[in-house]
Amino acid sequence: MAFLVGKVAVTINAGAPNNGRGEDNVARVKQLRIGRDVHPYVSAQAFRRWLRDSLPADEPRSPVTRSGSSARQQAYTAGRPDIYLDDDLFGYMVALKGKDTCQRDTVLATGTLVSVAPRRPTVDFGTMSRGFAAGENPVIHEHELYTAELVGDILFDLPRVGVFETDGSGLKVALTAEAAKDAEAGGAERTTFRGVAALRLPIGERRRRTALLLRTLAAVRGGAKRALHYGDRAPALVLLAPVKGGVNPFTRVFTAQDGRTVFDTDVLREEIDAWAEELDGPVALGWAPGFLGDQREKARAALADLIQDERLILDHPRVILHRLAEEVERGERDAWFEDTQA
């Protein structure tokens, strides 16, 4: 059994990838305050939307239904994780009056992507006057933008990929009775998972879904205001470690020093040593060249012994994620899908 845990870092260059509620005629980026410092952020919901939208075009998405009006509106997916990968990995809740309720907690847990160092957004002043008659006043509009390194936590509960609860005290089931019958007829097998009855998809499909998500993470695209502030949203750094118990010990590897984002190799080294008996394989560090200047090569030198001992793999994020996806597809990581609590 293993959880893939770690960090994801995204670079924003003069961008406005996730906006909050506007004020007057100014579009504000999402931001939080720590003391007097301002830290822009991208919400976990937005990043998950980017991931979902970045899935291959031929991968079916769970259809969304919207119902109700005014304050009594709701929207929900099909609630069929046996059919749709996004229902399986991202979770859902379907609660309809007079009908069975089903819900699924997320398999892929994502934290908010927050600027490591304080960054105060800049307000860009703009006008629209194209086609106006001479002497007419322009339409004024303003919006915020910023440059920052955003970092968030990530956890991928691999044993739950393709496994759906059908019973359990105090637990809302992942499949309705009718959907469970369909899933079983389609090849899902009955099992017990973490103390409750469940259905499990064949290992081949569980491998496929995991590998597809890893490859998608390597090529994330999305974000708001792409007409004005297009930018790369693929991770500039990905840290993933297979941990048996699901604890993420690498939440503190980034810090701010003198207003700059710093990757702390001492913290990484100490956490790898402290959690050695819980690690079910090497820690993978995907680091794009140019991200954080020369820190990548300094980290390679500082961690050379861990790399030499194959306790740490350092390469490009795309190379790391695709290599891991290939290992999963070949069945080399099947032990990660087994849950000792079953």
Side-chain angles (χ1 to χ4, degrees):
M1 176 185 71
F3 298 77
L4 285 178
V5 304
K7 305 288 285 190
V8 173
V10 176
T11 301
I12 307 299
N13 291 313
N18 188 208
N19 295 305
R21 180 175 295 178
E23 298 177 7
D24 296 327
N25 218 32
V26 182
R28 303 289 187 188
V29 297
K30 290 187 176 179
Q31 52 195 277
L32 57 86
R33 291 183 178 273
I34 302 176
R36 296 183 178 180
D37 295 327
V38 176
H39 293 254
Y41 71 89
V42 167
S43 70
Q45 181 185 24
F47 182 65
R48 294 165 72 82
R49 172 67 183 270
W50 299 356
L51 267 174
R52 193 188 301 256
D53 289 349
S54 300
L55 291 169
D58 59 354
E59 182 67 31
R61 272 74 160 177
S62 183
V64 175
T65 300
R66 179 177 178 177
S67 63
S69 61
S70 301
R72 302 181 67 84
Q73 294 185 70
Q74 60 177 334
Y76 49 89
T77 69
R80 291 297 301 268
D82 55 315
I83 300 174
Y84 301 108
L85 175 149
D86 55 337
D87 271 351
D88 182 9
L89 303 185
F90 294 96
Y92 54 85
M93 180 173 183
V94 182
L96 302 177
K97 187 176 181 179
K99 296 184 179 181
D100 291 340
T101 295
C102 60
Q103 73 175 50
R104 179 164 174 78
D105 290 338
T106 187
V107 171
L108 178 71
T110 48
T112 302
L113 297 173
V114 183
S115 173
V116 179
R119 293 290 184 266
R120 188 176 297 276
T122 294
V123 177
D124 182 70
F125 178 82
T127 63
M128 172 59 181
S129 58
R130 186 178 66 251
F132 288 18
E136 288 187 329
N137 293 324
V139 174
I140 296 173
H141 56 89
E142 300 175 86
H143 68 273
E144 293 183 327
L145 63 136
Y146 62 90
T147 294
E149 297 85 24
L150 309 184
V151 177
D153 296 325
I154 190 167
L155 180 148
F156 195 6
D157 189 352
L158 290 178
R160 290 189 60 232
V161 176
V163 180
F164 319 121
E165 299 85 354
T166 57
D167 194 11
S169 175
L171 175 73
K172 295 206 179 285
V173 297
L175 294 170
T176 64
E178 182 179 353
K181 290 179 181 179
D182 289 346
E184 192 169 1
E189 63 178 358
R190 295 186 184 185
T191 187
T192 299
F193 183 76
R194 296 179 182 170
V196 300
L199 290 176
R200 180 172 59 199
L201 297 182
I203 188 62
E205 176 62 10
R206 298 172 73 198
R207 292 172 185 158
R208 186 193 75 85
R209 292 182 177 191
T210 300
L212 189 148
L213 182 66
L214 291 170
R215 289 195 174 96
T216 300
L217 183 58
V220 175
R221 61 186 185 278
K225 293 191 177 296
R226 280 180 279 182
L228 298 177
H229 299 297
Y230 168 76
D232 182 23
R233 301 295 174 249
L237 184 146
V238 175
L239 174 66
L240 287 178
V243 178
K244 297 174 186 176
V247 173
N248 186 349
F250 304 108
T251 60
R252 295 168 291 275
V253 295
F254 281 95
T255 187
Q257 295 180 7
D258 299 324
R260 298 171 57 247
T261 300
V262 174
F263 185 89
D264 195 326
T265 56
D266 291 337
V267 171
L268 177 62
R269 175 186 293 278
E270 186 167 343
E271 295 292 5
I272 290 176
D273 288 339
W275 292 85
E277 76 281 0
E278 288 293 309
L279 293 173
D280 196 11
V283 175
L285 178 57
W287 192 327
F291 177 61
L292 301 182
D294 62 354
Q295 289 188 49
R296 180 178 188 245
E297 294 312 310
K298 289 182 178 179
R300 189 188 300 277
L303 302 168
D305 59 315
L306 296 179
I307 297 172
Q308 178 67 31
D309 294 339
E310 298 184 345
R311 298 174 65 193
L312 175 70
I313 301 171
L314 198 161
D315 211 322
H316 192 283
R318 189 173 188 274
V319 173
I320 288 287
L321 291 166
H322 278 246
R323 181 186 299 150
L324 187 55
E326 291 166 4
E327 292 173 357
V328 169
E329 287 174 326
R330 291 194 296 263
E332 297 174 13
R333 302 300 182 182
D334 281 359
W336 290 354
F337 293 100
E338 299 300 323
D339 196 295
T340 57
Q341 302 176 46

